[in-house]
Amino acid sequence: MIPARKVSWFNAWFSGHARSRIQATFGEVRAQGLDRARALAREAPLLVVSNHTSWWDPLVAMHVSTHLLGTDGYAMMDAKNLRRLPFFALVGAFGVDLDKPTDGALGMRHAARLLDAPGKLVWVYPQGQERPITERPLGFRPGSAEIARVSRKARTVPVGLRYEFGGTERPTLWLSFGEPVKAERDTTKGRAAQEEAVEAELSRIERAVRGEDAESFVVVFRAAPARVGGVLEAMLAAMTRPWVMRAPKAASPLSAGDARTKATSSPP
């Protein structure tokens, strides 16, 4: 197990970098349940469990933990990836070898020690690897349920993540924070409860993407319109509109001579 070795100045810089990358890429960030999660973070440490669907997920977890929730955030990461990208340890990632039970036990105890006071947060992706957003069941591993069982002070918050292209040039980042999930002594039961809760938040996002109950999601970030692209689009529209929209010429009526010629040339 590779422990987190957070360095405050590097964390401040990298979290700013994550926010800049997100705001440069996404047209909107929409969130549901954010205020409730913020209030809960002031009362207790948070264990966040979420689906894992994209390369963006670690940067989103950092941005949400630091800037949207205002917490001291940490995250569980595959030890193989942390060895490849060791700078993530400096911003709170700790590495666990998912194929070694003893390593997993060490990682769970490390997470529980981090969840020692309000304002602390540990983000876990129980799927263990990136999976398609449409995959059901999500296939959670039991580690996050074990962390919830042993971290008596922590509250477990399910979060749904989705990246969606729509009617604009940039995609939208959707975030849905659910009600806390009760910790269970039986980790099999706890794992199932966490998975069901995250799937419910993904279904909530799905409905909003279709236009159902979209008002429950507030816009926490919206990019300014791209001026150059908008001006170019308007210019092209103005130039081509007269040509495209002009009425087609009416067919000219046949003269008597043309009609006789057509009649005599037609096959019987």
Side-chain angles (χ1 to χ4, degrees), residues 4-19 59 62 66-67 72-73 82 85-93:
R5 303 184 185 279
K6 183 177 276 194
V7 177
S8 58
W9 70 265
F10 187 82
N11 183 76
W13 173 80
F14 197 82
S15 64
H17 168 72
R19 176 171 57 188
L59 295 185
M62 184 167 199
T66 305
H67 299 118
D72 180 15
L82 189 54
L85 303 169
F87 56 85
F88 273 110
L90 305 183
V91 296

Side-chain angles (χ1 to χ4, degrees), residues 19-257:
R19 176 171 57 188
S20 297
R21 291 285 296 275
I22 288 168
Q23 293 182 351
T25 301
F26 295 92
E28 286 185 340
V29 178
R30 290 179 171 263
Q32 184 281 141
L34 181 59
D35 288 342
R36 180 177 59 240
R38 282 178 182 150
L40 192 60
R42 293 192 290 267
E43 300 172 4
L46 300 186
L47 171 64
V48 172
V49 292
S50 177
N51 60 302
H52 192 12
T53 187
S54 168
W55 174 93
W56 280 101
D57 293 347
L59 295 185
V60 168
M62 184 167 199
H63 174 56
V64 170
S65 302
T66 305
H67 299 118
L68 299 188
L69 295 177
T71 58
D72 180 15
Y74 296 81
M76 181 181 287
M77 189 172 179
D78 189 334
K80 178 176 60 178
N81 289 334
L82 189 54
R83 292 187 188 98
R84 184 171 58 88
L85 303 169
F87 56 85
F88 273 110
L90 305 183
V91 296
F94 55 96
V96 175
D97 189 328
L98 301 176
D99 297 321
K100 292 183 179 179
T102 55
D103 211 45
L106 290 172
M108 292 170 209
R109 287 197 291 270
H110 185 65
R113 285 194 296 270
L114 292 170
L115 293 168
D116 60 355
K120 291 288 194 72
L121 179 149
V122 171
W123 198 299
V124 179
Y125 295 104
Q127 288 172 292
Q129 59 183 333
E130 297 162 12
R131 302 300 305 158
I133 188 64
T134 55
E135 185 171 282
R136 298 292 185 277
L138 293 175
F140 276 15
R141 294 169 180 251
S144 57
E146 179 64 16
I147 295 171
R149 186 185 70 81
V150 300
S151 304
R152 296 183 180 181
K153 296 180 181 180
R155 306 291 293 277
T156 303
V157 176
V159 175
L161 295 178
R162 179 162 170 167
Y163 312 91
E164 183 73 17
F165 277 94
T168 58
E169 180 179 356
R170 294 185 182 187
T172 297
L173 166 59
W174 294 85
L175 299 161
S176 188
F177 298 80
E179 296 282 355
V181 179
K182 180 183 176 182
E184 300 284 352
R185 285 192 171 188
D186 182 346
T187 54
T188 299
K189 186 176 179 180
R191 179 207 60 76
Q194 290 181 2
E195 183 171 320
E196 181 180 356
V198 174
E199 287 181 354
E201 298 312 309
L202 290 172
S203 295
R204 191 194 301 270
I205 294 173
E206 173 72 24
R207 292 192 296 273
V209 169
R210 294 200 306 261
E212 304 169 18
D213 195 30
E215 65 276 5
S216 64
F217 286 81
V218 299
V219 177
V220 296
F221 167 76
R222 176 174 286 148
R227 293 185 178 180
V228 175
V231 170
L232 179 60
E233 184 179 274
M235 289 175 60
L236 287 172
M239 292 168 59
T240 58
R241 187 176 290 113
W243 176 59
V244 173
M245 303 304 294
R246 68 186 179 186
K249 292 182 179 180
S252 58
L254 292 175
S255 66

